[in-house]
Amino acid sequence: MASPAKPFRNLMMRYGPDTRVDLAKVDLNDPLFGLAPYYYPLCNDALELATLVKRALSHTAAALNDWAEA
């Protein structure tokens, strides 16, 4: 996990928001509090982040399957 994203992980683990986050941008009604694009600029929202994670997991699973068959 990239260093800039570690505060996002910590937020999700209930350690609280990073002090560098503008709390005015936090939306408690939005998935992941609207912070996905703040930490992952290539994603416009939580749905795009979920798609990115799903794609990464699929690639990882395929690589592990290839390795196990070798």
Side-chain angles (χ1 to χ4, degrees):
M1 188 171 203
S3 293
K6 286 183 182 180
F8 182 74
R9 179 244 181 232
N10 290 344
L11 173 67
M12 296 298 110
M13 296 302 295
R14 301 189 187 133
Y15 297 141
D18 185 63
T19 56
R20 296 168 286 190
V21 172
D22 179 2
L23 295 180
K25 294 181 180 179
V26 173
D27 182 355
L28 298 179
N29 296 313
D30 196 37
L32 302 177
F33 313 111
L35 293 172
Y38 181 83
Y39 290 106
Y40 301 96
L42 296 177
C43 300
N44 292 317
D45 56 24
L47 181 59
E48 284 188 15
L49 178 59
T51 301
L52 179 66
V53 169
K54 184 176 178 179
R55 190 177 310 128
L57 289 173
S58 178
H59 287 289
T60 301
L64 289 172
N65 283 338
D66 291 344
W67 172 78
E69 293 173 1

